[in-house]
Amino acid sequence: MDDLYYLRLALDCARNSPPKPTNFRVGAVLLSPSSSPSILTTGYTLESPGNTHAEQTCFIKLAGTHNLPGPMIEDHLGPHLPEDVVLYTTMEPCNKRSAGNSTCVERILKLRRADGSAAIRKVVCGVSEPEKFVGENLGRKRLEEAGIEVVHVPGLEEEILEVATAGHEKEG
Ligand SMILES: [Zn+2]
C-alpha cells in the first residue's frame, strides 16, 4: 500500500477547498486497502454545507450513501464501514474547535464497530495541525489510546502547508 500516493490524492482534494483567512484547506481520503484497494469517499474543508472539515465531509458523504440520519452520523456509521479503513488526511485531525463543533478526533473516536472497537484502524497524515488557531494538538495521543495507529508520512509538508494556508494573510 502506497501511503504517499493516497496522501497525494488527499492533497489534490484540498486544492478544491475555497481559500479563507480563518481555516486550513485540508483534504481527506477514506480507503479500504485490503486485496483490491478501494476509495470509499473523499472530502475537503468546507465541501459540505456549514463550517465542515475534510474528515467530517468524508463521514457525511459516506453516511449519505447508507441513508443514515444526521446530525451525529458518527454514532451510526461505524458498523457500515469495512474492517480495514484507513483515513488519509493532509493535516492531523483537529482536537479542538470553537463554537461547540465536534472535533474530527471526537468524530473518529465515535466511529465504532458493532463490537465497540475503533472503525478506523489507521490515520495517515502529512503534517501536524499548525498551532496558529487552536494551540497544541493532543489528538494523536487520544487516537492512539483508542487503538488507532497514527502515522506521519513525510515528503509533502511544504506543498500541504502551501495549499492549507492559501487564503491566509501573508506575514511581513
Ligand atoms: Zn477537523
Side-chain angles (χ1 to χ4, degrees):
M1 190 175 71
D2 189 348
D3 282 343
L4 201 55
Y5 173 81
Y6 291 106
L7 200 56
R8 249 183 216 292
L9 281 187
L11 179 57
D12 286 340
C13 293
R15 293 181 203 278
N16 295 320
S17 180
K20 299 253 178 168
T22 49
N23 57 22
F24 295 112
R25 297 161 83 209
V26 176
V29 172
L30 271 185
L31 183 80
S32 173
S34 297
S35 49
S36 60
S38 69
I39 292 170
L40 303 172
T41 190
T42 64
Y44 55 83
T45 310
L46 301 181
E47 180 180 353
S48 296
N51 182 14
T52 49
H53 285 188
E55 304 92 319
Q56 184 181 359
T57 292
C58 284
F59 305 149
I60 290 170
K61 286 164 78 174
L62 213 48
T65 67
H66 292 290
N67 288 316
L68 296 172
M72 289 315 296
I73 47 171
E74 291 81 8
D75 290 335
H76 311 285
L77 182 59
H80 295 273
L81 296 175
E83 287 190 357
D84 59 347
V85 181
V86 180
L87 168 66
Y88 290 87
T89 177
T90 53
M91 201 172 279
E92 200 172 306
C94 65
N95 188 41
K96 254 189 211 171
R97 286 185 75 173
S98 53
N101 288 304
S102 288
T103 65
C104 291
V105 165
E106 281 162 9
R107 292 174 190 280
I108 292 165
L109 292 175
K110 277 205 167 160
L111 286 168
R112 301 274 167 177
R113 292 183 204 299
D115 68 4
S117 62
I120 290 179
R121 66 171 179 85
K122 184 175 167 187
V123 175
V124 178
C125 38
V127 297
S128 303
E129 190 177 36
E131 295 180 14
K132 180 173 177 181
F133 295 139
V134 292
E136 190 186 2
N137 189 343
L138 298 172
R140 177 179 188 146
K141 198 162 167 267
R142 290 180 69 193
L143 294 172
E144 286 173 345
E145 280 169 1
I148 300 168
E149 188 185 354
V150 181
V151 181
H152 273 248
V153 171
L156 297 176
E157 292 89 345
E158 251 178 65
E159 243 179 300
I160 285 171
L161 288 174
E162 195 186 307
V163 170
T165 62
H168 296 189
E169 278 183 44
K170 302 286 181 268
E171 288 172 33

